[in-house]
Amino acid sequence: MNQKFPKASYETLKFMSRAISLARRGLGRTSPNPMVGAVVVKDGKIVGEGFHRAPGEPHAEVDAIRAAGTQTEGAELFVTLEPCNHYGRTPPCTQAIMAAGIKKVYYGIDDPNPSVIGGGADFLRKSGIEVVGQLLENRCRALNEVYLTNVTLKRPHVYLKLAMSLDGRIATRTGQSQWITSDQSRMKVHRLRDKVCAIMVGIETILADNPFLTTRLKGRAGRDPIRIVADSNLRTPPDANIFNQTSPSGVIIATRNNPPSRLKARLEKKGARIIQTANSDRVDLKDLLTTLHKMGITSLLIEGGAGLAWGALEARIVDRCVFFYAPIIIGGKSAPSGISGTGINRLDEAPRLVEMKSFKIGPDILVEGRVVYPGEPNDLTDKPH
C-alpha cells in the first residue's frame, strides 16, 4: 500500500502546486500520455522544473532533472504522477531518478495504467529512495481526468457542451440559433475544440446548421478535431460543410449496424469513415466509444443536438458538462431545449454535477462540473481507478 502524506507543510504543498501548474502547459498535446509536471528542490529552493510536452518527448521528471543539472544529488523531486518504471517511447523515469541521486520523491497520484500501477513507487522504495504519495490527490486527478478515463474505462473522456438561453433554449420557435451566446463564449469553445481529439454532433444539427466543426482561433492557430456525426440512417448530405477540404482532420459517420449500402458508399466516396455500431435501429454510443478508444481517440466533445445530448447522458458516457448561458429568455413551448429525450421519472435518477465552477465570459455565464450518475460516489478519490 502506498504511503500517505500525514500532514503536508505549506512548502510541500507549494512545490506540488507548482508541478501541477507546469503540467498544464501540456494541455491537449500529450495524448495518449498524461499531463505531468515536476520540480527538483534542493535546500528548500526549486533548482529544476519540467513538464511532459508530447508523446516521445522526455517525461517531466527527466526534463526537471536535466534542468537542475549538477544540483540533483540529495535533492527532492515533486511530480504529479507516480514515476514510470517501464520502457515505452522513453526509458523508465525511475532509472533517471536513481542516477540523479534524488533522495526523496513526492508524487500526486498512482498511475492506474495496468502496465505501470504500483511499479514506480515500489521500485524506488526498494532502491532506498524515500517515496511519499499521494499529495494534492484530488487536484492531480482532476488534472488528468482524460488519461484516467482512458486507462480505467477504456474509452474517450467525454465533454458535453451546450449554449443556451437562461431558460435552457438552444433556438427560437422558428429555429434561429445563431448566435445565442457571445463572441467570447464562442472563442472559449474553439479553445476547447483545440484541446480535444474529436467533436461529435447529431444528424439534426448537420441538417439544421450545416456547421464546419473546425477550430477557429485568432491567427488561424489551433488544431481541428476529428469530426463525428451520429447518423443512424446516413442522411448526412455529401456537400455538408464537414467535408471541408482545407482541414486535415477526417470525418467519421457513426451509424447503426445495417445502414443503407448505397448511402454508405456515397459518404465513403466523400472520404468519410463509416463506423457501424452494435444497435440495429440507432447509434450505440457505448459501442462507438469503444471503437474510438481503439482508434487512439482519447477525448470527445459533444456539441449537440438535444437528442444526442440526452442519449449520451442516458448511456452514462458524459464525464463533464460545459454549459454556456446567455442573458436572454427565449420562451415558447415549441422552442427546442438543450436536452430532450425521454428524461427521468424521479429526481433521484438524475445525473448531477459536482465540483462545479462558474465563470463570467463576456455577458454570458459558463457553468461546468464533473458528472456523477445515481449509485456513483461523489468523491473523486472513491472512484475505482
Side-chain angles (χ1 to χ4, degrees):
M1 181 178 293
N2 288 318
Q3 178 185 352
K4 294 285 187 176
F5 198 76
K7 189 175 181 180
S9 67
Y10 170 78
E11 290 296 309
T12 302
L13 294 176
K14 181 181 72 173
F15 295 138
M16 186 58 80
S17 292
R18 178 57 183 165
I20 292 172
S21 296
L22 290 166
R24 291 190 184 281
R25 295 184 182 180
L27 182 63
R29 299 296 183 262
T30 64
S31 176
N33 295 346
M35 293 184 288
V36 184
V39 296
V40 177
V41 176
K42 185 80 172 281
D43 299 326
K45 296 181 180 180
I46 295 177
V47 296
E49 297 184 335
F51 69 97
H52 184 47
R53 290 168 172 78
E57 294 291 314
H59 286 190
E61 300 94 317
V62 173
D63 199 29
I65 287 170
R66 288 176 179 173
T70 60
Q71 302 183 73
T72 58
E73 186 69 36
E76 298 176 334
L77 175 71
F78 291 77
V79 60
T80 55
L81 184 71
E82 176 187 10
C84 67
N85 190 40
H86 69 290
Y87 283 88
R89 290 187 174 98
T90 59
C93 290
T94 52
Q95 299 292 339
I97 292 169
M98 292 173 58
I102 298 291
K103 70 174 183 180
K104 189 171 186 177
V105 175
Y106 298 89
Y107 72 93
I109 57 172
D110 295 328
D111 191 336
N113 190 322
S115 66
V116 176
I117 190 164
D122 289 346
F123 180 84
L124 291 174
R125 288 192 184 102
K126 291 174 182 177
S127 302
I129 296 174
E130 186 177 355
V131 180
V132 178
Q134 303 162 348
L135 194 63
L136 294 183
E137 181 180 3
N138 277 359
R139 286 181 61 188
C140 290
R141 285 195 182 281
L143 172 73
N144 271 312
E145 60 182 5
V146 171
Y147 175 73
L148 295 174
T149 299
N150 296 164
V151 299
T152 59
L153 301 180
K154 304 300 181 186
R155 66 164 175 79
H157 190 81
V158 177
Y159 301 89
L160 173 61
K161 167 260 166 180
L162 295 174
M164 301 174 284
S165 63
L166 284 178
D167 55 335
R169 308 293 183 175
I170 58 173
T172 67
R173 63 184 182 182
T174 61
Q176 184 183 4
S177 61
Q178 298 180 349
W179 298 100
I180 288 179
T181 52
S182 64
D183 289 343
Q184 296 95 319
S185 291
R186 292 197 294 280
M187 282 300 101
K188 177 74 173 178
V189 172
H190 284 290
R191 287 194 291 272
L192 181 54
R193 288 181 180 182
D194 175 51
K195 300 296 188 270
V196 298
C197 293
I199 181 173
M200 181 165 68
V201 298
I203 180 58
E204 298 300 336
T205 297
I206 294 293
L207 297 176
D209 300 334
N210 195 19
F212 285 90
L213 301 182
T214 52
T215 299
R216 299 184 292 279
L217 296 173
K218 291 182 180 179
R220 297 189 177 183
R223 303 174 304 174
D224 292 336
I226 296 171
R227 286 154 283 186
I228 304 175
V229 182
D231 183 2
S232 299
N233 296 307
L234 299 184
R235 293 187 290 151
T236 302
D239 60 350
N241 286 333
I242 55 169
F243 298 110
N244 177 9
Q245 298 305 311
T246 64
S247 172
S249 294
V251 175
I252 292 173
I253 308 295
T255 188
R256 51 192 169 93
N257 66 6
N258 55 347
S261 57
R262 179 182 62 83
L263 299 180
K264 179 173 179 286
R266 184 176 70 169
L267 292 173
E268 286 176 333
K269 189 175 181 180
K270 291 294 295 183
R273 175 171 178 170
I274 310 299
I275 295 180
Q276 297 174 219
T277 61
N279 204 296
S280 61
D281 59 357
R282 57 183 173 80
V283 177
D284 186 318
L285 293 175
K286 288 185 176 181
D287 186 46
L288 172 63
L289 260 60
T290 298
T291 301
L292 296 180
H293 174 74
K294 292 176 181 178
M295 293 171 56
I297 294 175
T298 59
S299 54
L300 172 67
L301 174 62
I302 296 177
E303 286 207 16
L308 177 60
W310 172 252
L313 288 166
E314 188 177 37
R316 295 190 171 206
I317 62 168
V318 176
D319 298 294
R320 181 168 292 274
C321 287
V322 184
F323 290 177
F324 295 85
Y325 290 94
I328 59 173
I329 299 170
I330 292 177
K333 186 187 300 185
S334 60
S337 62
I339 301 174
S340 60
T342 56
I344 60 170
N345 295 317
R346 297 167 47 86
L347 290 178
D348 59 8
E349 298 173 348
R352 293 181 180 272
L353 298 191
V354 297
E355 300 158 15
M356 282 181 54
K357 298 178 182 178
S358 61
F359 310 89
K360 189 119 177 2
I361 300 184
D364 306 327
I365 298 293
L366 166 60
V367 176
E368 68 168 285
R370 183 169 59 86
V371 182
V372 173
Y373 297 95
E376 291 184 349
N378 285 358
D379 189 349
L380 201 62
T381 59
D382 291 337
K383 287 209 166 197
H385 289 302

